[in-house]
Amino acid sequence: QVQLVESGGGSVQPGGSLRLSCAASGSIANIRSMGWYRQAPGKQREMVATSTIGGYTNYADPVKGRFTISRDNAKNTMYLQMTALNPEDTAVYYCNGLTLNRIYWGQGTQVTVSS
């Protein structure tokens, strides 16, 4: 019922910035919260940032002060603005949407931070 498509990933040098986008379609009115998760090679998927329908946000400790989650309701798009990127941020980033009875995921977008 909900489709999520990420974009904006790529390669960047340490200290650089990227903005990820997540376009939502379908029954988006049922989405209660959305977020960004990431998974590095050999590691478990972890929460990066979340945002409820009421606008409350939460961030994982490693990204606090560097990443910002936001939403453009007119475009049905969620963003993750990433600054001061470091190699530890290298991962596949996934868009997540939570309804009352289901969790939806995008296909992921690769972010690589290296010299």
Side-chain angles (χ1 to χ4, degrees), residues 1 16 21 28 31 34 37 71 74 81 95 101-102 110:
Q1 292 182 323
S21 299
I28 57 177
I31 298 177
M34 297 187 71
Y37 290 69
R71 181 165 50 227
Q81 180 66 52
C95 179
N101 55 15
R102 173 156 287 198
Q110 177 71 47

Side-chain angles (χ1 to χ4, degrees), residues 6-53:
E6 303 96 333
S7 63
S11 297
V12 66
Q13 295 187 171
S17 301
L18 283 174
R19 188 178 73 162
L20 305 183
S21 299
C22 174
S25 61
S27 302
I28 57 177
N30 294 326
I31 298 177
R32 304 298 293 272
S33 67
M34 297 187 71
W36 290 95
Y37 290 69
R38 67 186 182 186
Q39 187 168 22
K43 295 186 177 181
Q44 198 165 209
R45 188 175 299 185
E46 63 180 4
M47 187 272 289
V48 176
T50 59
S51 177
T52 69
I53 195 67

Side-chain angles (χ1 to χ4, degrees), residues 37-84:
Y37 290 69
R38 67 186 182 186
Q39 187 168 22
K43 295 186 177 181
Q44 198 165 209
R45 188 175 299 185
E46 63 180 4
M47 187 272 289
V48 176
T50 59
S51 177
T52 69
I53 195 67
Y56 302 104
T57 59
N58 194 24
Y59 297 89
D61 287 340
V63 309
K64 287 182 178 178
R66 300 189 297 118
F67 291 11
T68 302
I69 188 172
S70 63
R71 181 165 50 227
D72 187 336
N73 291 327
K75 296 183 177 180
N76 296 323
T77 301
M78 180 180 65
Y79 303 97
L80 183 68
Q81 180 66 52
M82 305 184 294
T83 63

